[in-house]
Amino acid sequence: MIEFTFWDIVRNLLLAARWTVLLSLAAFIGGALVGLVVLFFRIAKNNWVKRIASGYIALFQGTPLLMQLFLMFFGLPMLGLRIEPWTAAALGLTFFASAYLAEIWRSGVDALPRGQWDAGASLGLHYLQELRLIILPQAFAITRAPTVGFLVQLIKSTALTSIIGFEELVRTSNAINNATFEPFKVYGLVALIFFVMCFPLTQYARRLEQRAGAR
């Protein structure tokens, strides 16, 4: 058994938590960009385009994230594409996030009355201008709370990337536990770190919900 002081364990876990935060931010930003494209497809007037977006969302929402990560990490090399754990984790979580964010934002678009579209048309705005200037700003405002809530889910989902070898918080904690044989201490600290990362976002999402309900 390797001797680790309490502060050695804390220091190594905090260093690993940096990668959890970085991966969460990369996946959220990437998921937002891809999700915006999926949203445009989802609310398009062409039925075939809508079906493509609906199929994309159904695929990533209807299959386990772990399977998606496995396909990225183990499947792509079989097609001749060499991929590192970081890239596989970021891509897998990006596609996962994009499906959920697109559907969250679509609910915001659907919540707007038809008169918002008619008002834009009466001003002579074309479809993209209506989206950019009228529809999307209101839809994003309506869905801020569930968007922040999903970010909390995404942060916790990064734990699954340890399975494909990405050195984030959970994988580092497993290595420390295997060396120290102190699971309560090690995993207790991991739970505390995740709590510190997620609790402020949870409270912020709750305040956004309360503010929206008071309007």
Side-chain angles (χ1 to χ4, degrees):
M1 183 178 69
I2 300 176
E3 288 294 332
F4 276 81
T5 67
F6 177 80
W7 295 113
D8 287 335
I9 295 173
V10 171
R11 179 172 55 83
N12 282 282
L13 291 178
L14 290 177
L15 288 173
R18 296 180 307 169
W19 293 106
T20 294
V21 172
L22 183 60
L23 178 60
S24 300
L25 289 175
F28 186 75
I29 294 171
L33 294 175
V34 177
L36 194 58
V37 174
V38 177
L39 173 64
F40 287 152
F41 278 52
R42 187 70 176 82
I43 63 177
K45 297 178 180 179
N46 187 292
N47 285 331
W48 282 106
V49 173
K50 281 185 177 180
R51 289 174 183 173
I52 291 173
S54 296
Y56 177 93
I57 292 170
L59 175 65
F60 286 99
Q61 287 190 350
T63 56
L65 174 58
L66 186 58
M67 294 301 102
Q68 297 168 25
L69 292 171
F70 280 161
L71 286 173
M72 288 288 173
F73 187 65
F74 298 111
L76 291 181
M78 296 183 68
L79 300 177
L81 299 174
R82 189 172 181 274
I83 190 167
E84 300 296 328
W86 159 258
T87 308
L91 285 177
L93 288 173
T94 291
F95 293 138
F96 172 78
S98 67
Y100 280 89
L101 290 174
E103 197 66 359
I104 289 171
W105 295 337
R106 182 198 61 81
S107 69
V109 173
D110 288 349
L112 297 176
R114 181 64 201 176
Q116 296 294 321
W117 292 93
D118 296 337
S122 68
L123 294 173
L125 302 178
H126 60 66
Y127 180 72
L128 290 179
Q129 287 178 322
E130 284 185 288
L131 282 175
R132 182 170 62 87
L133 299 175
I134 299 175
I135 303 302
L136 291 184
Q138 295 184 77
F140 291 152
I142 292 171
T143 57
R144 278 185 298 178
T147 299
V148 174
F150 176 75
L151 176 57
V152 174
Q153 178 184 343
L154 189 63
I155 292 172
K156 292 186 289 186
S157 296
T158 60
L160 291 176
T161 62
S162 63
I163 303 297
I164 61 172
F166 181 63
E167 291 289 345
E168 44 68 67
L169 184 55
V170 172
R171 186 173 177 84
T172 299
S173 68
N174 288 336
I176 294 173
N177 179 63
N178 290 339
T180 62
F181 298 101
E182 295 182 295
F184 287 106
K185 179 187 294 184
V186 175
Y187 295 125
L189 287 169
V190 171
L192 179 61
I193 292 172
F194 270 111
F195 178 79
V196 169
M197 288 191 290
C198 295
F199 183 72
L201 293 172
T202 302
Q203 293 299 104
Y204 179 54
R206 187 170 299 169
R207 284 198 296 271
L208 289 175
E209 287 178 354
Q210 292 172 348
R211 193 179 305 167
R215 290 177 181 175

